């Protein structure tokens, strides 16, 4: 691991701007009819073996042909653009349970599950769970309606599958962390260096029993010539509600503000529509993500609902120790969340 006052340019081949990815065909993978048939057969085979998602792995969800395409996509996520949209699954053809099995099975071919919260959810829900924005324990996947700022999640790969959209809004947004890091290194190396030092993050009330209500991680880490990014500005700022948490310096605050400014710049991010049946995966270390505001209409059943996966990729053979899977106390209670918003 490198914690240095002289950060350097890392993985420039993974940089992109909004103009570079303006063509949606660059990052949209359309399933063929044969691949869709293979997914359907794999789902039905998995359900013939077990109805417990936690027992479904690659062997229980066989994709003899599609697995090779997914392997190429996984490599692109880690060593290339860092995000993808999978399109073609007919949402109307499947129940929610069947969609969850298909999504979980695809995820099993891209990595190993990673717990997302203190409940141990390895398959989570992104929908309005009636949490107030000022609730200090609320997480982004539980908040309805409001836009979410650019941030990282807590795994190698982060996946979203759209089950249903709300009445309006709710576009997914992705920005390139590598470009942001390297821009700071080129133009404001003092700010880049400030983000290589550990910063406090609010645990949102989900710390280990008897543990501190915050944890320490750098925003930027260099590890074996790769860049690893973990940046959740709202959680970093929220850590300051705990008197025992280290105080953010003026330089750290300026550096975080500059990361936010660069990500918010339309030249540095792309907005993505996720239709029912669409699946998005991103490299959490190279891509920040967020969403635009949206409106639900419960009277008509138009309630935005996505399923979320956090995955440990097999392609990334080495990572900083504090980004290792299965060391988190959350994983001890691995479980599946299956909300039915409507």
């Amino acid at each position: 691991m490198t914690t240095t006052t002289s950060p350097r340019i890392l993985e420039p081949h993974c940089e992109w701007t909004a103009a570079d990815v303006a063509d949606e065909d660059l990052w949209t993978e359309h399933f063929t009819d044969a691949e869709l048939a293979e997914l359907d057969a794999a789902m039905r085979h998995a359900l013939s073996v077990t109805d417990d998602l936690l027992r479904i792995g690659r062997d229980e969800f066989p994709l003899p042909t599609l697995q090779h395409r997914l392997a190429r996509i996984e490599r692109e996520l880690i060593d290339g653009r860092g995000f993808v949209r999978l399109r073609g699954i007919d949402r109307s053809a499947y129940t929610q349970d069947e969609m969850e099995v298909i999504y979980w099975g695809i995820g099993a071919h891209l990595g190993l599950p990673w717990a997302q919260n203190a409940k141990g959810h390895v398959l989570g829900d992104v929908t309005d769970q009636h949490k107030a924005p000022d609730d200090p324990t609320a997480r982004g996947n539980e908040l309805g309606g409001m836009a979410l700022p650019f941030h990282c999640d807590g795994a190698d790969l982060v996946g979203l599958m759209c089950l249903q959209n709300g009445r309006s809004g709710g576009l997914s947004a992705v920005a390139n962390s590598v470009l942001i890091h390297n821009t700071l290194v080129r133009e404001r190396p003092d700010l880049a260096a400030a983000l290589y030092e550990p910063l406090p993050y609010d645990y949102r009330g989900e710390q280990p029993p008897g543990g501190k209500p915050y944890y320490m991680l750098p925003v930027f880490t260099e590890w074996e010539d790769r860049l690893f990014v973990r940046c959740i500005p709202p959680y970093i700022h929220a850590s300051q509600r705990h008197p025992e948490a280290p105080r953010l310096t003026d330089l750290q605050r300026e550096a975080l503000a500059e990361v936010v400014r660069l990500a918010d710049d339309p030249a540095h991010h792309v907005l993505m529509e996720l239709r029912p049946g669409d699946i998005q995966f991103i490299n959490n270390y190279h891509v920040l993500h967020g969403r635009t505001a949206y409106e639900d209409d419960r009277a008509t059943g138009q309630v935005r609902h996505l399923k979320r996966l956090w995955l440990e990729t097999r392609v990334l053979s080495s990572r900083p120790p504090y980004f290792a899977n299965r060391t988190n106390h959350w994983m001890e209670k691995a479980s599946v969340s299956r909300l039915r918003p409507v």
Side-chain angles (χ1 to χ4, degrees):
M1 178 177 62
T2 299
T3 55
T4 176
T5 55
S6 300
R8 64 192 184 101
I9 300 296
L10 293 170
E11 300 188 89
H13 60 280
C14 293
E15 291 187 33
W16 53 259
T17 65
D20 295 329
V21 295
D23 181 358
E24 294 190 3
D25 286 338
L26 291 174
W27 40 266
T28 302
E29 298 274 348
H30 296 271
F31 291 121
T32 66
D33 289 344
E35 289 169 339
L36 291 171
E38 193 167 278
L39 285 169
D40 184 84
M43 178 268 293
R44 300 190 187 284
H45 173 76
L47 286 175
S48 73
V49 174
T50 179
D51 59 0
D52 182 359
L53 283 183
L54 298 180
R55 295 177 56 195
I56 298 174
R58 288 184 293 183
D59 291 343
E60 291 73 31
F61 198 88
L63 298 174
T65 302
L66 182 55
Q67 65 176 331
H68 303 296
R69 186 177 185 187
L70 292 177
R72 291 193 296 271
I73 289 171
E74 184 181 16
R75 176 62 68 180
E76 173 65 26
L77 288 171
I78 297 301
D79 292 327
R81 184 180 53 251
F83 71 96
V84 68
R85 178 175 63 189
L86 309 179
R87 174 162 283 176
I89 298 173
D90 182 1
R91 170 68 183 93
S92 67
Y94 297 105
T95 66
Q96 180 173 327
D97 287 347
E98 290 171 337
M99 288 294 294
E100 289 173 355
V101 173
I102 291 172
Y103 180 43
W104 179 269
I106 291 172
H109 283 268
L110 292 174
L112 301 171
W114 200 310
Q116 303 170 23
N117 54 27
K119 298 175 182 177
H121 290 158
V122 289
L123 180 66
D125 288 281
V126 181
T127 192
D128 184 359
Q129 298 177 45
H130 310 294
K131 288 288 190 78
D134 59 354
D135 183 340
T137 68
R139 293 181 170 274
N141 66 298
E142 301 170 325
L143 296 174
M146 63 184 290
L148 292 183
F150 284 105
H151 64 283
C152 301
D153 283 352
D156 296 347
L157 302 179
V158 179
L160 292 173
M161 178 183 67
C162 180
L163 289 175
Q164 183 166 279
N165 281 318
R167 179 170 60 186
S168 63
L171 295 177
S172 178
V174 292
N176 185 226
S177 310
V178 184
L179 176 68
I180 291 171
H181 170 271
N182 290 346
T183 297
L184 290 180
V185 172
R186 295 179 184 113
E187 300 177 2
R188 289 296 306 272
D190 58 327
L191 299 184
L195 297 179
Y196 270 85
E197 299 302 322
L199 272 65
Y201 292 71
D202 187 8
Y203 248 129
R204 313 304 285 173
E206 296 192 335
Q207 63 268 21
K212 295 179 180 179
Y214 66 92
Y215 58 95
M216 302 293 294
L217 278 180
V219 169
F220 298 143
T221 300
E222 178 184 338
W223 181 266
E224 298 183 359
D225 297 323
R226 288 184 180 269
L227 173 66
F228 289 79
V229 178
R230 173 66 54 80
C231 188
I232 317 175
Y235 289 11
I236 295 172
H237 291 298
S239 74
Q240 302 299 276
R241 70 190 177 99
H242 305 295
E244 65 270 41
R247 298 298 93 180
L248 297 173
T249 67
D250 290 343
L251 189 64
Q252 288 168 337
R253 290 181 181 275
E254 182 184 358
L256 286 171
E258 187 62 8
V259 169
V260 171
R261 186 191 72 79
L262 289 169
D264 284 342
D265 186 335
H268 296 151
H269 69 250
V270 63
L271 298 178
M272 178 189 307
E273 177 191 24
L274 294 178
R275 303 170 187 166
D278 283 354
I279 298 173
Q280 176 197 79
F281 285 104
I282 67 169
N283 176 348
N284 190 56
Y285 305 125
H286 283 181
V287 174
L288 298 166
H289 66 282
R291 74 163 184 238
T292 65
Y294 71 92
E295 292 185 8
D296 284 336
D297 187 343
R298 292 187 179 273
T300 61
Q302 294 174 288
V303 177
R304 187 175 188 269
H305 186 197
L306 299 93
K307 302 298 296 191
R308 185 172 71 175
L309 282 174
W310 287 3
L311 297 172
E312 174 190 359
T313 174
R314 301 175 182 87
V315 172
L316 194 60
S317 59
S318 180
R319 58 183 62 76
Y322 42 79
F323 288 150
N325 193 3
R326 303 187 185 279
T327 60
N328 195 306
H329 62 286
W330 295 348
M331 198 63 190
E332 297 171 0
K333 298 186 291 184
S335 62
V336 173
S337 173
R338 279 177 160 158
L339 294 183
R340 299 293 192 270
V342 180

